[in-house]
Amino acid sequence: MTAKTSDGPDGPRLLPVGSEALIVESPSLAAAMALRARIAADPPRGLTELLPAARTVLCRFATGLDATAARARIAALVGTEAAPARRVDEGDAARSFGTVEIGVVYDGDDLDAVAAALGMSRSAVVAAHTGSPWTSAFIGFAPGFAYLAGGDDRLTLPRRATPRTTVPAGSVAIAGGFSAVYPGASPGGWHLLGRTDAELWRPEREPPALLPPGTRVRFRPVRELVRGAAPPDTAGAERQPASAAGVPALRVDRPGGLALVEDLGRPGYAGVGVPASGAADRESLRRANRLVGNPAGAAAIELAGTGASGGFRATAVRDTIVAVTGAPCRVTITRAPTHRSLARGESPRVADLARADWGRWADWTPAGDELPPCAEPVGDADAPRIVDAASGAPLLLHAGDAIAVDLDVDGGAWSAVLGVRGGIAAPVVLGSRSRDLLSGLGPLPVTGGDELCVPAAARVHAAVGTAEPDPPLPPATVNEPAPLTLQPGPRLDRLTPHSRMRLTELVWRIRPDSNRIGVRLEPADPDLVTDDGPPLEHVADAELASEGVVPGAVQVPPGGGPVVFGRDHPVTGGYPVVGVISPASLDVLARLAPGRCVRLVSQSPGDHLDVIGAW
């Protein structure tokens, strides 16, 4: 069955990207820029992000209903006229930011391979890269990552068959007719020609990107990089994970694995290369906040994996209420031996809340100072008491109490959320307190000795929630893989028919090099892939110009191993996106440890996603 992804034989192609976004194809980069301007001038209802790329525009909406309703309107905005193709560096915008010269040491890992592929010498490749000016067309992939168009037409190569898991910051590269400089260390599939010390992205600079769209760029070969004085540290507020003005609530004794401050993210900045980021498991973040009486998007601590020394440990600095949600874990509280006894019938004040059994006042709110009378005496504890506490329930910590969270990694659990009443106080960057591993925005990972604060001015009036048991974690074994719902993607036709079937028939295992940027999958049983090719094969000429992507996008590099984009994903990519994991399944995936197994289940069972374009 052929995917119905067009409004007609000659009409614009509007391709689904999951249930809440669509891609509009354009005949050229200039046409894509013009289309982006037309949509921005009269945006459809619910439009949250608008991201132009090489030949497409990604439109992302608040809901699936908004995306469906906007389809006809966007098709009308596209019009029937095709914008004439032209070189980007001919526009007036190219003169508005002047010319930036970038010194490059041409010693890249791929320089010899590029020269061989193009039938040129190393020196000829360098001469071609430096001999013609480039122009910043758009920013994508990562903050400050400018796609530079123009240059020498001979420097056109497809991306690497298998992307590197890490490309060093400052790497100068080419792919698909573009050149670029990697602003920070990140995954990447471009060909590395050299390196520079130019600072491509600095959040406190205006504009933060060194090469905003329209900037002319000249590369200059140099023998070595001479670094000047380090720029002033104006981003010091980001160097403590939760040191914004606030009242200390917890002191971290041990972070366990990776502990990050996360909220619901910073949507709306994809156009400058900044992903929304935010909690990997959004449902668990909302539930943790609900349990402690916070707004749904309050910042919390995301705990992932287990460190070499064990799980997360923290000590309460003051009386506070916390909740742990997410994947299965053991939560224990060590009670400090300082609790005053309460007489029968005595009404403790709010300050004494921790000195009695919290379960008697689960609906307590700070709006009142007095609590219901104690039903029975509660005696002092002569020594610390270690008690098991339930995840998925509000937990009271008195000053001096310690909490421990140990994820059941052996059972497949990988992430949990620790919510604190009042929310975590941390610097706000572009409207969010979230740590973004790709862009480096937001507070640094939590380390031992850090104090987690709640905002000094925070007034929480919502009642503490009642217990909500954590949903069970799927077995996620080879015989019982965790099902992940696969929604329509724009480039399923870039896979061979056999690979389209394999996509949903094979059991996939989560690779250990997965993270918040992308979850890498491999066949759980390599023997089932009986041929000598990659697990998933592209059709001939499957190379794509870079286009916008969304969280949950399933991208398939030529190496054939699917990559599911996480919350800190690049905002653009050039490998085919063949489907999108549903938001609910993306939460489940965040809870699964490397080595666990999953199966991609078509949203329309039985059709192997062949109706992927039927809206």
Side-chain angles (χ1 to χ4, degrees):
M1 183 184 299
T2 302
K4 302 175 182 178
T5 54
S6 173
D7 285 308
D10 302 314
R13 279 174 38 105
L14 275 65
L15 309 175
V17 187
S19 60
E20 299 172 356
L22 58 88
I23 274 179
V24 189
E25 290 185 330
S26 295
S28 67
L29 176 58
M33 300 299 116
L35 173 60
R36 188 262 177 209
R38 288 200 294 273
I39 297 175
D42 187 17
R45 185 189 68 185
L47 183 69
T48 60
E49 288 188 326
L50 195 58
L51 179 60
R55 293 184 183 86
T56 59
V57 178
L58 174 72
C59 304
R60 193 173 177 193
F61 297 86
T63 68
L65 290 176
D66 290 335
T68 301
R71 186 170 181 255
R73 183 172 176 182
I74 291 177
L77 286 174
V78 174
T80 56
E81 72 283 3
R86 62 176 177 84
R87 292 177 64 89
V88 175
D89 59 3
E90 293 173 357
D92 292 339
R95 294 188 285 272
S96 61
F97 287 99
T99 299
V100 173
E101 186 175 271
I102 296 177
V104 180
V105 175
Y106 285 93
D107 59 358
D109 290 347
D110 298 324
L111 184 56
D112 288 334
V114 168
L118 298 178
M120 303 167 67
S121 65
R122 286 172 58 106
S123 59
V125 171
V126 174
H129 195 250
T130 58
S132 300
W134 301 80
T135 300
S136 175
F138 59 94
I139 293 179
F141 181 68
F145 189 101
Y147 285 76
L148 306 178
D152 193 311
D153 291 339
R154 293 176 295 171
L155 299 180
T156 302
L157 280 177
R159 291 168 181 79
R160 291 167 51 92
T162 302
R164 290 180 170 91
T165 55
T166 302
V167 174
S171 295
V172 179
I174 60 171
F178 291 96
S179 186
V181 181
Y182 282 78
S186 68
W190 290 37
H191 304 277
L192 309 185
L193 302 185
R195 53 193 167 89
T196 180
D197 60 359
E199 193 173 17
L200 274 292
W201 175 263
R202 193 193 304 169
E204 67 274 11
R205 182 173 57 194
E206 184 54 44
L210 177 66
L211 307 177
T215 305
R216 288 182 184 272
V217 179
R218 282 261 185 198
F219 292 106
R220 174 175 56 88
V222 297
R223 291 184 179 275
E224 61 181 352
L225 300 176
V226 180
R227 295 186 179 274
D233 184 8
T234 57
E238 298 181 26
R239 300 202 175 275
Q240 294 298 324
S243 60
V247 178
L250 297 174
R251 183 186 66 251
V252 177
D253 303 313
R254 187 173 73 207
L258 183 63
L260 303 174
V261 177
E262 298 291 345
D263 55 21
L264 288 179
R266 47 180 68 85
Y269 293 96
V272 293
V274 178
S277 188
D281 180 357
R282 295 197 165 199
E283 191 277 332
S284 292
L285 174 78
R286 292 187 178 99
R287 193 153 49 91
N289 279 322
R290 187 163 60 244
L291 289 169
V292 298
N294 289 343
I301 303 298
E302 179 177 285
L303 309 174
T306 298
S309 59
F312 177 86
R313 302 288 186 272
T315 301
V317 179
R318 60 192 292 267
D319 293 2
T320 190
I321 301 168
V322 301
V324 179
T325 60
C329 56
R330 185 188 182 197
V331 181
T332 57
I333 296 175
T334 302
R335 297 291 186 192
T338 58
H339 299 173
R340 178 177 63 84
S341 62
L342 299 176
R344 183 183 302 275
E346 180 180 359
S347 294
R349 298 175 62 82
V350 168
D352 297 323
L353 179 64
R355 297 162 187 168
D357 180 10
W358 167 242
R360 297 184 176 87
W361 301 292
D363 60 348
W364 168 74
T365 168
D369 189 52
E370 293 292 328
L371 296 168
C374 185
E376 59 187 54
V378 179
D380 284 320
D382 297 328
R385 293 180 298 120
I386 300 177
V387 296
D388 284 321
S391 60
L395 304 172
L396 179 72
L397 297 180
H398 183 57
D401 288 348
I403 184 170
V405 181
D406 293 288
L407 284 154
D408 182 15
V409 176
D410 292 337
W414 191 245
S415 72
V417 175
L418 174 67
V420 180
R421 187 168 176 85
I424 299 297
V428 176
V429 180
L430 299 180
S432 172
R433 294 180 168 88
S434 289
R435 176 64 178 180
D436 180 349
L437 296 183
L438 180 64
S439 69
L441 296 178
L444 294 176
V446 174
T447 61
D450 287 340
E451 285 190 336
L452 304 180
C453 302
V454 297
R459 292 189 60 83
V460 182
H461 294 288
V464 173
T466 56
E468 301 178 35
D470 292 312
L473 195 67
T477 62
V478 173
N479 294 326
E480 294 184 86
L484 303 177
T485 300
L486 189 63
Q487 296 176 334
R491 304 299 179 186
L492 184 69
D493 59 355
R494 299 300 175 106
L495 294 182
T496 64
H498 182 54
S499 292
R500 296 179 206 174
M501 296 178 65
R502 274 185 173 176
L503 179 67
T504 53
E505 288 181 347
L506 287 180
V507 173
W508 302 96
R509 179 180 287 113
I510 301 173
R511 285 174 36 177
D513 53 354
S514 300
N515 54 27
R516 284 176 49 88
I517 298 172
V519 176
R520 298 170 182 271
L521 304 178
E522 61 186 3
D525 187 351
D527 292 337
L528 294 178
V529 185
T530 54
D531 52 46
D532 296 328
L536 300 177
E537 292 185 299
H538 291 179
V539 298
D541 193 27
E543 181 73 12
L544 285 169
S546 292
E547 58 189 25
V549 295
V550 300
V554 181
Q555 192 181 66
V556 180
V563 179
V564 182
F565 279 159
R567 296 295 178 186
D568 295 349
H569 66 92
V571 298
T572 61
Y575 300 122
V577 172
V578 298
V580 178
I581 300 297
S582 72
S585 290
L586 195 57
D587 287 342
V588 172
L589 184 59
R591 300 170 201 155
L592 295 176
R596 299 294 100 183
C597 296
V598 300
R599 188 189 294 277
L600 307 179
V601 181
S602 170
Q603 198 172 45
S604 301
D607 58 19
H608 299 294
L609 297 182
D610 282 340
V611 296
I612 204 162
W615 287 70

